[in-house]
Amino acid sequence: MRYEYYGGLDFGYREAKISIINSDKKVIYKSSNTYKSDFLNPQTWINSFEEIFMDVPEPLKNNLSRLSISGTTGTLLACKPNGHNLGDAFSYDLIISEKIKNIKFLCEEKPFLKIPQNSISKALILIDKYGE
């Protein structure tokens, strides 16, 4: 009998977490680890994933059918079309306050777009850093 497991990996602001459920939707494994270096450095995320995934028992890893990955809304990582990052991630709490004025102007008639984490604010950050 083949078992199927499904995992969720979350890169939060301070730690990476993994949860694995079985086909009955019961959590059968969970673990987390605190980042060991700068959170904005994408290599930190890779290192945390490798560390946390190495601790998952082999029978679970071997039968992991799907793995979803999510990250905090507090960061933005710019990448090339091939997936390689252009540099460190941006932290919203450090730079978003300067974008609020532009967002409010651009989105006057669409109040739901005025939140700092929307796609327009992300585009403004990327234009400032990398050009058009």
Side-chain angles (χ1 to χ4, degrees), residues 46-103:
I46 294 167
N47 294 345
S48 290
F49 169 74
E50 290 172 347
E51 182 179 320
I52 205 168
F53 203 68
M54 285 185 66
D55 291 339
V56 174
E58 287 299 319
L60 298 182
K61 272 195 267 196
N62 293 339
N63 292 293
L64 194 60
S65 179
R66 306 279 191 284
L67 180 66
S68 66
I69 301 172
S70 65
T72 177
T73 58
T75 58
L76 169 65
L77 180 64
C79 295
K80 298 175 185 175
N82 65 6
H84 293 117
N85 60 295
L86 294 171
D88 284 352
F90 299 96
S91 174
Y92 282 144
D93 61 346
L94 298 176
I95 57 177
I96 204 61
S97 60
E98 66 190 53
K99 299 293 172 232
I100 296 293
K101 184 174 151 185
N102 292 336
I103 293 168

